[in-house]
Amino acid sequence: RVEAPASQADVGGGAGEIPFEDLPATKFQRVSAVRLLEAKQTIPHFYLHGECVIDKMMELRKEFNAEQEKMKTKSSSASSNSVKLSVNDFVIKAAAAAMRDVPEVNAQWMEDRVRQFRRVDVSVAVMTSAGLITPIVFGADGLRVSEISREVKSLALLAKENKLRPEQFMGGTFTISNLGMFGVRRFTAVVNPPQAAILAVGGSSRDVLGVNEDGASVQVGNVMRVALSCDHRVVDGAVAARWMNAFKHYASNPISILM
């Protein structure tokens, strides 16, 4: 750390320099700074916003986790194999399933061609003491939600302990950044090059969905807000809309991604 000299930092009257402290950037912060600047300077971004009614997701998650707790109390072996699902686990699976439906988004710009990938590798933004890093859930489209949950927890722990190998966070075909657990309602994210899209996930809230047929009562549900940022060189508006509709379907009807 580099601090301002006391002779400068303590000068009052508004004529001196404001007290400050310089904090050295971590390796991850330096790399991230270069990549983010590259992304904003070279990638033509556009954004789509969507809302998902996630009552079925939350109920399914509640039932699954309750069943896991019952199994833990019955058997020690079951306890070691149990997993607690998060909303983000379902989000990752729903995004991967949408990628399989709309593979044009699972791609990257190659200057003279577009490379479309046949496997969905989802990068998941994780905040650590060293900065933001995006470990990868490989083949998320072929994993069960419980398998995704185990993988994300394992990767997040490795990231926070600074034990990730380069191949575990360099690459990926799509990124998810979730700030819902921090109370953020909605935000947009910067595309993670060379990927073509990133999904920003906000928190959910109880919102009015519509008026019932009797006209005297309303329907209320849990609504999660998301924003898809795209590289317009790879993904056009109509393709992004198809992807968003597919994602909303899977997020609102999670039983379809468990089959």
Side-chain angles (χ1 to χ4, degrees), residues 9-257:
D10 296 335
V11 173
E17 190 172 326
I18 298 173
F20 67 89
E21 181 181 23
D22 288 337
L23 305 176
T26 66
K27 176 183 177 182
F28 288 136
Q29 287 174 321
R30 293 194 299 271
V31 171
S32 180
V34 171
R35 290 172 63 83
L36 288 172
L37 182 61
E38 173 195 352
K40 292 300 288 184
Q41 288 182 330
T42 64
I43 296 176
H45 284 63
F46 76 95
Y47 311 93
L48 266 67
H49 299 268
E51 295 183 346
C52 312
V53 180
I54 59 169
D55 292 286
K56 292 179 181 178
M57 179 196 294
M58 295 178 73
E59 184 60 30
L60 188 60
R61 171 179 174 258
K62 181 180 177 181
E63 292 178 2
F64 180 91
N65 289 341
E67 189 63 29
Q68 291 290 296
E69 285 297 320
K70 290 180 183 178
M71 293 174 61
K72 283 171 63 177
T73 59
K74 292 180 179 179
S75 168
S76 58
S77 61
S79 177
S80 61
N81 294 322
S82 66
V83 61
K84 187 174 183 179
L85 300 183
S86 69
V87 169
N88 205 45
D89 299 329
F90 283 97
V91 168
I92 293 169
K93 182 60 180 179
M99 283 291 197
R100 294 188 71 171
D101 288 356
V102 190
E104 297 96 320
V105 181
N106 195 42
Q108 70 181 53
W109 180 251
M110 301 291 290
E111 298 303 333
D112 60 345
R113 62 195 184 281
V114 172
R115 175 169 295 170
Q116 194 171 114
F117 298 100
R118 297 177 180 173
R119 186 181 71 194
V120 183
D121 294 344
V122 179
S123 303
V124 182
V126 174
M127 190 63 201
T128 72
S129 58
L132 188 68
I133 193 168
T134 51
I136 305 165
V137 179
F138 292 96
D141 52 324
L143 298 178
R144 295 190 294 268
V145 178
S146 58
E147 292 173 323
I148 288 173
S149 183
R150 288 191 181 94
E151 185 67 7
V152 169
K153 288 179 175 62
S154 174
L155 290 168
L157 182 60
L158 290 173
K160 290 174 181 177
E161 295 177 346
N162 197 27
K163 293 181 179 179
L164 284 173
R165 300 187 304 276
E167 62 268 23
Q168 291 179 301
F169 63 87
M170 296 178 66
T173 64
F174 181 74
T175 295
I176 293 175
S177 179
N178 190 338
L179 294 179
M181 66 283 290
F182 298 108
V184 175
R185 279 283 193 99
R186 65 178 80 234
F187 70 105
T188 54
V190 179
V191 171
N192 181 18
Q195 298 172 10
I198 182 171
L199 185 70
V201 183
S204 63
S205 61
R206 297 282 290 174
D207 288 359
V208 174
L209 304 179
V211 180
N212 289 318
E213 292 183 1
D214 59 14
S217 58
V218 297
Q219 301 173 22
V220 179
N222 289 288
V223 178
M224 179 179 70
R225 294 158 184 82
V226 298
L228 182 69
S229 305
C230 299
D231 181 344
H232 215 326
R233 297 172 301 179
V234 180
V235 182
D236 62 28
V239 169
R242 283 169 47 215
W243 187 94
M244 180 65 81
N245 288 333
F247 172 79
K248 288 167 62 177
H249 167 74
Y250 290 123
S252 300
N253 302 278
I255 193 67
S256 60
I257 54 179

